[in-house]
Amino acid sequence: KFHVSREKCEKKLFAVPTAILCSSKVNYESLKIKYPEFKSRLYYEYIGFDTRLFPRQKPLNDKTIRFVYGGNSGALQNPSGFIRFFERMKGVELHLFGDFTSVSTDAKNIFTHGKLERLEFIDFLKKRCDVGIVSLTSDYLGACVPAKLFELIGLHIPILGLLPDGDASEIINDNGFGYAVDISSATSEKIFREFSRTKRAIYCENLKRNSAHYSDANTVNFIREFFE
């Protein structure tokens, strides 16, 4: 068995609380199967975006499509894996924020900016981003819902999700917030097609209409109603 000691600890801990709040549906469903005796105690709710961010007033309308990725550049995010898609695209820029010193490319449409404070990064997103990127590679990360995803939802920025099957990809595709696909199945042509000006306008309208469900205010209301 994998991590037998961890399972024993989980079972012991789960026997104590009256409620167990999971941060993803995948995790919630997994625990229901793993510990059916605690099924009635399990709930899930997303952490949501910070409602103080305020969405930008209108999407950009330039000829160049600017994709932006900000965050970790390790093996789990695999930036080298998605950078190659943009090296072959025309009319597109890719902007990378974080430590990308280990990533090399000669493409003139790819820009590295180093690290920014969160509010500076959000300001860049509002002013210069057409599409935000969220990337995770391994299948077992389907239970993870990156905080960056909620940030993009709150800002009403269309999302390219290079993700395994799970909550994050479902949130993007089921709500029409953008396009999510496993990185192994992605292509430059498909990405370019899915973020045409027409499709980006549709994604923005969907974000405007349905983003409130993923706000931190919604999460607070869920918790407040639970305890009332």
Side-chain angles (χ1 to χ4, degrees):
K1 279 189 174 182
F2 181 70
H3 286 319
V4 174
S5 60
R6 176 177 172 176
E7 290 177 355
K8 286 181 179 178
C9 286
E10 279 184 341
K11 198 161 188 177
K12 187 176 180 181
L13 287 170
F14 286 1
V16 176
T18 55
I20 302 160
L21 185 60
C22 305
S23 59
S24 76
K25 185 169 66 174
V26 167
N27 187 223
Y28 164 77
E29 296 291 351
S30 173
L31 290 175
K32 278 202 305 182
I33 295 170
K34 192 175 180 180
Y35 303 113
E37 65 271 36
F38 301 130
K39 183 177 177 180
S40 63
R41 304 180 186 188
L42 291 166
Y43 303 84
Y44 81 91
E45 183 59 47
Y46 301 118
I47 191 169
F49 64 83
D50 186 345
T51 47
R52 296 171 298 177
L53 289 179
F54 301 109
R56 59 186 182 188
Q57 295 304 304
K58 59 181 180 179
L60 305 180
N61 202 26
D62 296 341
K63 289 183 179 179
T64 301
I65 307 171
R66 296 182 180 88
F67 289 77
V68 177
Y69 174 82
N72 294 327
S73 57
L76 295 180
Q77 292 76 29
N78 190 21
S80 298
F82 66 75
I83 284 173
R84 61 191 168 88
F85 297 129
F86 297 93
E87 291 175 329
R88 300 191 290 271
M89 287 191 200
K90 292 182 179 179
V92 165
E93 292 178 0
L94 173 63
H95 295 263
L96 302 168
F97 289 85
D99 182 5
F100 288 90
T101 51
S102 62
V103 176
S104 63
T105 177
D106 296 325
K108 308 234 182 268
N109 64 329
I110 297 177
F111 305 89
T112 56
H113 299 270
K115 296 180 180 179
L116 283 184
E117 292 295 326
R118 179 169 177 265
L119 292 180
E120 289 181 280
F121 178 63
I122 288 171
D123 189 57
F124 185 95
L125 290 174
K126 286 181 176 180
K127 292 178 179 177
R128 298 190 62 191
C129 176
D130 294 289
V131 182
I133 300 173
V134 180
S135 178
L136 290 172
T137 55
S138 300
D139 286 344
Y140 74 88
L141 293 173
C144 298
V145 188
K148 194 69 65 185
L149 171 64
F150 297 117
E151 206 162 71
L152 294 169
I153 291 172
L155 291 168
H156 296 176
I157 293 174
I159 303 156
L160 168 61
L162 298 166
L163 301 161
D165 288 340
D167 288 59
S169 60
E170 284 185 13
I171 289 170
I172 296 168
N173 288 334
D174 291 356
N175 289 286
F177 290 164
Y179 170 62
V181 62
D182 191 287
I183 193 168
S184 64
S185 301
T187 66
S188 300
E189 294 76 19
K190 184 69 172 172
I191 291 171
F192 189 77
R193 222 169 26 244
E194 288 296 327
F195 291 98
S196 66
R197 181 176 296 184
T198 301
K199 288 208 169 186
R200 293 200 313 273
I202 293 170
Y203 299 149
C204 287
E205 282 303 312
N206 292 337
L207 284 157
K208 192 185 301 183
R209 187 166 53 245
N210 299 321
S211 63
H213 179 70
Y214 299 98
S215 72
D216 56 2
N218 192 67
T219 307
V220 169
N221 287 337
F222 173 87
I223 295 171
R224 184 182 293 123
E225 289 172 9
F226 179 82
F227 284 106
E228 285 178 352

